[in-house]
Amino acid sequence: MHTVVVGTSGVTASDVLAVARGGARVALSAEAVAALAASRGVVDALAAKPDPVYGVSTGFGALATRHISPELRAQLQRNIVRSHAAGMGPRVEREVVRALMFLRLKTLCSGRTGVRPQVARAMADVLNAGITPVVHEYGSLGCSGDLAPLSHCALALMGEGDAEGPDGGVRPAGELLAEHGIRPVELREKEGLALLNGTDGMLGMLVMALADLELLYKSADVTAALSLEALLGTDKVLAPELHAIRPHPGQAASAANMLAVLKDSGLTGHHQDDAPRVQDAYSVRCAPQVAGAGRDTLAHARLVAERELAAAVDNPVVLPDGRVESNGNFHGAPVAYVLDFLAIAVADLASIAERRTDRLLDKNRSHGLPPFLADDAGVDSGLMIAQYTQAALVSELKRLAVPASADSIPSSAMQEDHVSMGWSAARKLRTAVDNLTRVVAVELYAAARAVELREGLTPAPATRAVVAAAREAGVGGPGPDRHLAPDLAAADAFVRDGRLVAAAETVTGPLN
């Protein structure tokens, strides 16, 4: 099995995906272990002094003014974990929890948190054992870190709370640790706090959303090309020289993808046939501009993610010169903003896809296709209600595009009086990505049927490959009305697991 080695300088997005989704093992580098030991020495030295140091010998948040005597400090660290493990609602997904824990381990290994090497090793052991703490949907305000989610993970390290075992069953964490030979961690000064202070949950969800959206934007380029072809549109608007004079890289990439998919099509360019047109509708003609803007948004979000993946987020931190300083680096604003930005781009990509689907079904705008792509319109309803479902998804996506990061709600007796809501932004983006997949699947379903109904005209080799692969995957073709939900589910799976893009790339080669 693949092993990800965590050092002092951060991790990559591929590392996060390997651990969160691929079940990769985790190991600590010798450099990381040395850095952990060195920073722990600084904390131990401060703990022995009479002067109060936040997080080492004081309370937390609004209670930071109390100096904690040495005999109570272990209890203090246990108590912060127990009291902060206050999440409610449904469990979040296993991959999110694994990303959360791995990214917290990344910061521990930076040598800036002051925890002992055995704490980091215990977290790696829990990941490697396939033990996943139970983390709940609600509890993070995205400031002072994803406090409640991280606390539930820290609680499991202590052998308390519940966790999911490798077999998927939820049991007491202490039992699972014992079965795998992992000793519960007995926290010392600073360690409870260090396990809770980070943007790890929202960052993990951002990294996974970026991976999913990279595939979905390629998928949307393919289905947009398929719709253009089914509507007998022109591919002249995709010419690279037109996009070169407005040099947005995402736009050029989307146009190039569509042009590659439509190469050698016998359906494009029929504007002057029975229903003359000068130009295609915006939803067809402007597809590269909208998808391209979304691609450029992805590029910006990826830059933010890369910076955060290289960061050490904790409060206080142990600096290279030995100082232990409080800071505000746990504030999730940088991550929260791009999570919300992506949700806006997702909603707009879904919106333009739905408009193309609606055009395919409308006999007044589809340039010769039967109403609703029905076999016997009137007796059959065709894909009428498939578009309703798509429209409902788009409407939901518009609601999910309302920024979470524009909100703030004070907490901790006004000590934490401005928060990022980044966890909430990440949670709604996951739903948005899921729904965008369904929207693209409905466009695929409609456009593939429409292309097949264009008798006497030959589709492009790439679109023929897509339609053939979809049919092999159980996505039904034209014909009398039947139960549509299974067909739509098959189309969803075809898009979601990458077979749509893979089918196109058998002809086009790698898409952008």
Side-chain angles (χ1 to χ4, degrees):
M1 182 180 291
H2 176 57
T3 297
V4 174
V5 178
V6 185
T8 60
S9 58
V11 296
T12 66
S14 60
D15 291 335
V16 176
L17 295 169
V19 174
R21 291 180 166 173
R25 293 182 61 80
V26 177
L28 311 186
S29 72
E31 178 191 27
V33 173
L36 283 158
S39 67
R40 184 64 206 178
V42 173
V43 170
D44 285 341
L46 287 172
K49 293 181 178 180
D51 303 324
V53 178
Y54 177 71
V56 176
S57 54
T58 71
F60 308 111
L63 303 176
T65 55
R66 179 178 171 182
H67 184 261
I68 308 298
S69 58
E71 65 273 13
L72 293 176
R73 290 175 188 171
Q75 181 181 339
L76 170 71
Q77 299 300 321
R78 288 194 301 270
N79 285 352
I80 190 176
V81 173
R82 289 168 176 162
S83 65
H84 286 45
M88 295 182 72
R91 288 174 56 196
V92 302
E93 303 84 357
R94 182 176 184 270
E95 67 177 15
V96 172
V97 180
R98 286 184 62 82
L100 173 78
M101 293 183 68
F102 176 67
L103 289 168
R104 184 80 311 232
L105 178 61
K106 173 266 297 183
T107 283
L108 298 184
C109 288
S110 70
R112 296 286 161 258
T113 69
V115 306
R116 292 166 295 156
Q118 51 262 51
V119 176
R121 287 195 186 102
M123 188 171 282
D125 289 344
V126 168
L127 283 166
N128 292 340
I131 298 170
T132 307
V134 170
V135 173
H136 300 279
E137 181 82 15
Y138 303 106
S140 175
L141 298 177
C143 201
S144 288
D146 289 318
L147 283 175
L150 282 163
S151 297
H152 282 277
C153 294
L155 195 68
L157 287 184
M158 292 166 49
E160 301 179 19
D162 292 327
E164 178 186 308
D167 62 356
V170 175
R171 295 162 52 200
E175 290 182 12
L176 288 166
L177 294 184
E179 284 183 7
H180 290 84
I182 302 171
R183 293 186 60 182
V185 173
E186 296 180 6
L187 299 174
R188 290 171 49 181
E189 293 94 343
K190 176 77 170 61
E191 291 178 338
L193 187 62
L195 291 172
L196 314 187
N197 251 311
T199 56
D200 309 294
M202 63 182 92
L203 176 59
M205 286 185 274
L206 172 60
V207 169
M208 289 185 283
L210 287 169
D212 294 339
L213 287 170
E214 183 175 359
L215 175 63
L216 273 172
Y217 270 84
K218 291 180 185 178
S219 301
D221 289 340
V222 175
T223 58
L226 199 57
S227 291
L228 182 151
E229 190 175 43
L231 290 166
L232 306 179
T234 179
D235 59 359
K236 290 183 179 179
V237 296
L238 304 173
E241 58 270 25
L242 292 175
H243 298 279
I245 62 175
R246 193 190 191 195
H248 294 289
Q251 177 179 322
S254 284
N257 282 348
M258 291 181 66
L259 199 59
V261 171
L262 292 170
K263 185 179 180 182
D264 298 328
S265 172
L267 280 77
T268 57
H270 287 268
H271 282 80
Q272 304 307 317
D273 290 355
D274 294 339
R277 280 171 282 163
V278 176
Q279 301 178 117
D280 290 313
Y282 283 11
S283 61
V284 177
R285 185 172 16 131
C286 301
Q289 285 76 10
V290 172
R295 286 170 168 270
D296 291 341
T297 302
L298 286 180
H300 171 62
R302 192 172 292 112
L303 176 62
V304 172
E306 288 169 356
R307 290 170 177 165
E308 198 76 358
L309 287 167
V313 178
D314 194 16
N315 179 49
V317 291
V318 181
L319 293 171
D321 60 9
R323 286 180 295 141
V324 176
E325 298 286 358
S326 291
N327 66 87
N329 285 343
F330 49 73
H331 199 288
V335 182
Y337 292 166
V338 293
L339 288 163
D340 281 333
F341 197 179
L342 289 173
I344 293 169
V346 163
D348 202 37
L349 184 62
S351 179
I352 197 170
E354 183 276 330
R355 288 293 80 205
R356 289 190 294 265
T357 303
D358 181 66
R359 184 167 289 272
L360 288 166
L361 306 189
D362 183 351
K363 69 180 182 66
N364 296 312
R365 295 179 292 142
S366 66
H367 309 287
L369 291 169
F372 303 105
L373 306 181
D375 188 61
D376 184 3
V379 174
D380 294 313
S381 294
L383 305 191
M384 179 190 296
I385 307 304
Q387 185 268 331
Y388 280 36
T389 299
Q390 191 186 42
L393 289 163
V394 170
S395 185
E396 173 72 5
L397 283 164
K398 292 174 183 176
R399 291 190 291 274
L400 291 168
V402 176
S405 58
D407 186 29
S408 177
I409 189 163
S411 58
S412 192
M414 293 298 287
Q415 175 72 6
E416 298 169 9
D417 59 351
H418 185 276
V419 297
S420 77
M421 302 306 297
W423 173 274
S424 298
R427 295 306 295 166
K428 69 184 183 65
L429 179 60
R430 282 181 72 82
T431 303
V433 171
D434 208 29
N435 284 346
L436 174 61
T437 307
R438 297 183 178 105
V439 169
V440 172
V442 175
E443 182 180 17
L444 164 71
Y445 188 61
R449 178 180 286 205
V451 164
E452 289 184 310
L453 291 172
R454 293 292 189 188
E455 296 179 0
L457 296 172
T458 305
T463 57
R464 290 203 305 273
V466 167
V467 173
R471 299 296 174 247
E472 288 179 14
V475 181
D481 280 357
R482 57 182 176 271
H483 183 194
L484 276 190
D487 276 1
L488 296 177
D492 177 32
F494 185 67
V495 174
R496 193 175 297 271
D497 63 17
R499 282 176 289 168
L500 166 63
V501 171
E505 287 181 336
T506 61
V507 176
T508 65
L511 295 172
N512 298 305

